[in-house]
Amino acid sequence: MRKGVVYMAKATDNRSGDVKRITRTKKYKEIEADLRDQLEANGTFGKFFEDMIDDYMAMYVTKTLLIEDIQKRGTIVPYNNGGGQSGFKKNEAVDMFNKTNAQMLKLLSELGLKASAAIGGGEYGDEL
């Protein structure tokens, strides 16, 4: 160890495996880069705006996980409350997906950015 040099230990990545998987995808990286490029092209700079992009990307991860849940379990899921009652109910991921998607669009609007087909993963109004 050299005198006067402080070495910092690498921070432990405590994110779930699914989150790590999504954030390492080419699509995730392209969307993040595109949003940052749009901010720069608009002349919008600052830590506040960078933080908002981070928020958008966190919502993107959430949205992706919700889509995976809906695709895996469907829109109607079984339930059992442990008290002898069971049946089927609406998958809460559907409502959460809709709310997350709406927040993402609001955030883009606040940033003065436009969602492109590449960002949204398809044309506006596409079905799941």
Side-chain angles (χ1 to χ4, degrees):
M1 183 180 240
R2 293 189 335 223
K3 188 172 184 170
V5 177
V6 177
Y7 292 93
M8 301 295 292
K10 186 174 181 179
T12 304
D13 188 349
N14 294 324
R15 300 176 299 168
S16 76
D18 286 334
V19 171
K20 290 177 192 177
R21 174 181 48 83
I22 293 166
T23 59
R24 291 178 180 152
T25 63
K26 181 179 177 184
K27 185 175 181 179
Y28 177 94
K29 292 173 184 176
E30 288 175 343
I31 291 169
E32 184 176 24
D34 183 57
L35 292 173
R36 292 187 190 284
D37 289 346
Q38 285 186 54
L39 278 181
E40 186 176 329
N42 291 348
T44 309
F45 299 97
K47 296 292 181 191
F48 173 76
F49 297 105
E50 291 175 23
D51 187 56
M52 289 180 76
I53 294 293
D54 292 341
D55 289 347
Y56 182 89
M57 296 312 298
M59 286 188 272
Y60 171 82
V61 170
T62 300
K63 180 184 86 161
T64 303
L65 291 170
L66 291 168
I67 290 169
E68 290 175 1
D69 178 72
I70 295 165
Q71 289 173 343
K72 180 180 177 182
R73 299 189 313 141
T75 57
I76 305 294
V77 296
Y79 76 90
N80 183 340
N81 71 1
Q85 293 182 335
S86 62
F88 293 91
K89 67 177 186 171
K90 184 170 66 171
N91 185 345
E92 294 176 11
V94 174
D95 287 336
M96 292 170 58
F97 168 80
N98 290 330
K99 290 176 183 177
T100 301
N101 202 47
Q103 284 301 116
M104 291 172 75
L105 291 172
K106 287 179 187 176
L107 186 53
L108 285 179
S109 178
E110 289 296 316
L111 288 168
L113 305 178
K114 300 286 183 197
S116 68
I119 291 175
E123 295 299 318
Y124 180 76
D126 278 357
E127 296 291 323
L128 279 178

